[in-house]
Amino acid sequence: VTKVFKGGTVALDNISFTLDAETPSIISVAGESGSGKTTLGLMALGFLNASSGSILYKGTDIAQMRKEAQTAFRKEVQAVFQDPFAVYNPFYKVDHIMEVPIKNFRLAKSGAEARRMMEEALVSVGLRPEETLGRFPHQLSGGQRQRFAVARALLLQPRLLIADEPVSMVDASLRATILESINKLNREMNVTILYITHDLTTAYHVSDYIIILYRGSVMEAGDVDKVISEPKHPYTQLLIDSIPWPDLQRQWGQQEVVGIDEDRSVASKVGCKFAGRCPHVMEICKQAPPPLYQMDEKRVAACYLYQDESVLPGEELGQIFRSRKPVLATNGAVA
């Protein structure tokens, strides 16, 4: 898919990947502000239409779904957004955001059953029902609101959860709780998670795979351990180098940045988008955008430094999202 906004700004540029429900995993979409991460999430939710290409859910274009299929899509594809304050209507008690989907999707046969479902969902994310239900949004902290939003998603037992910066506006002490709740959806309920973030640290800890975006294009993608520990693309290397490490012998911020070219219009689609900032820029980089070169079965990078490698067929990233990394069980054994 490609998304071009009015004025010619390219938010997403020819991105293709498949999420397999049979092998549910957590895939992070990372990059600096303005890289197209949130646009990708909104398009996957059906809130934005593609300028070209299509988004398919179970083989059906979400822009052309009939009412029955659209209802199933709305239930099975859920979201947790960045701002824990903007998702609530201040005139309703917080119970409202759970009561509406329970009613609309007919999840409970009685008020008592609905109440039980709400309480179980809240307990699963570390909230006490007696302290949260019946209150107005302003009576809860930002962390409580965000966990309430995660509980709502859990309540619907989705097949896909799109989490857009779910911990960026909560205290550090609550981030682990929220991320653990999201991880629980993946591990125990086999939900595929598309985790959108600018924080490579949390992406590394919660993800199986990662996609690195820059100005709407994929720079590098693959197994999160490989991409973070041994970044291949100069942009990924720059991102990793910007992380302060807890090691006094290791300096950070050493990567050279040559310059900045911020023209994001359609007319600027000649050559690699990172060429204006790349310390390894070559003449070929300015002539045509590089394809996704596949270095192994779990790693691709869009960089001419690797032009001796084979090109990913169809540049479809789903081909490298195949297997899950081992998950630590509660007893410390590898599951």
Side-chain angles (χ1 to χ4, degrees), residues 11-321:
L12 281 182
D13 190 4
N14 194 30
I15 291 180
S16 180
F17 64 91
T18 302
L19 303 178
D20 186 0
E22 298 305 316
T23 55
S25 55
I26 301 180
I27 300 172
S28 285
V29 181
E32 61 191 41
S33 297
S35 61
K37 307 184 301 295
T38 296
T39 298
L40 175 61
L42 292 175
M43 292 177 70
L45 288 165
F47 297 159
L48 289 176
N49 293 324
S51 300
S52 63
S54 57
I55 300 168
L56 308 180
Y57 182 69
K58 296 182 179 179
T60 303
D61 189 335
I62 64 173
Q64 301 176 5
M65 281 183 170
R66 295 185 176 181
K67 185 176 181 180
E68 296 79 8
Q70 195 173 68
T71 299
F73 173 77
R74 289 293 169 218
K75 178 179 182 294
E76 296 173 2
V77 180
Q78 289 294 307
V80 176
F81 295 106
Q82 176 180 5
D83 191 347
F85 300 93
V87 297
Y88 293 87
N89 186 327
F91 295 101
Y92 289 102
K93 294 180 180 179
V94 292
D95 309 35
H96 185 69
I97 73 164
M98 282 191 172
E99 291 171 345
V100 170
I102 288 176
K103 178 182 178 181
N104 289 347
F105 296 115
R106 300 176 182 176
L107 302 178
K109 296 180 180 179
S110 65
E113 184 180 0
R115 177 80 181 193
R116 177 186 58 78
M117 293 176 65
M118 292 165 61
E119 291 178 349
E120 289 177 354
L122 291 174
V123 170
S124 69
V125 297
L127 290 175
R128 297 180 179 179
E130 65 274 13
E131 295 179 359
T132 50
L133 291 175
R135 296 196 174 193
F136 285 94
H138 71 272
Q139 295 176 306
L140 300 181
S141 68
Q144 287 176 313
R145 297 188 205 191
Q146 192 68 308
R147 281 185 284 174
F148 207 106
V150 175
R152 177 196 179 279
L154 189 150
L155 181 73
L156 293 167
Q157 299 184 357
R159 302 295 302 277
L160 171 64
L161 176 70
I162 298 175
D164 187 1
E165 303 272 17
V167 297
S168 65
M169 293 183 66
V170 298
D171 295 339
S173 60
L174 293 173
R175 291 182 183 180
T177 302
I178 293 174
L179 290 175
E180 175 57 28
S181 300
I182 291 175
N183 225 328
K184 182 178 179 180
L185 275 170
N186 174 247
R187 288 195 320 266
E188 300 181 7
M189 300 177 64
N190 293 322
V191 178
T192 295
I193 314 288
L194 197 62
Y195 178 68
I196 298 170
T197 183
H198 68 276
D199 185 348
L200 292 178
T201 304
T202 58
Y204 177 74
H205 285 293
V206 305
S207 308
D208 300 304
Y209 303 99
I210 190 168
I211 300 172
I212 303 293
L213 290 183
Y214 177 70
R215 289 175 54 184
S217 293
V218 176
M219 297 290 105
E220 188 169 354
D223 180 90
V224 70
D225 292 324
K226 289 189 174 185
V227 172
I228 299 298
S229 62
E230 300 178 40
K232 295 296 185 182
H233 195 283
Y235 175 62
T236 313
Q237 293 169 359
L238 184 66
L239 289 179
I240 301 300
D241 188 57
S242 68
I243 300 174
W245 297 90
D247 183 354
L248 295 179
Q249 305 303 316
R250 180 172 181 174
Q251 293 185 342
W252 55 288
Q254 300 179 88
Q255 284 283 338
E256 178 187 5
V257 180
V258 176
I260 298 178
D261 172 17
E262 287 299 325
D263 185 2
R264 299 192 59 175
S265 66
V266 177
S268 70
K269 291 175 59 178
V270 178
C272 175
K273 295 179 179 179
F274 191 62
R277 299 174 63 184
C278 183
H280 307 289
V281 63
M282 302 177 287
E283 190 59 34
I284 191 175
C285 303
K286 303 176 183 179
Q287 298 173 357
L292 290 172
Y293 293 106
Q294 187 165 7
M295 280 149 282
D296 55 59
E297 64 177 5
K298 292 187 176 182
R299 169 87 71 96
V300 295
C303 183
Y304 284 118
L305 291 173
Y306 311 103
Q307 56 187 312
D308 291 337
E309 307 290 344
S310 60
V311 175
L312 181 69
E315 299 201 17
E316 213 288 324
L317 294 174
Q319 299 171 64
I320 61 173
F321 301 153

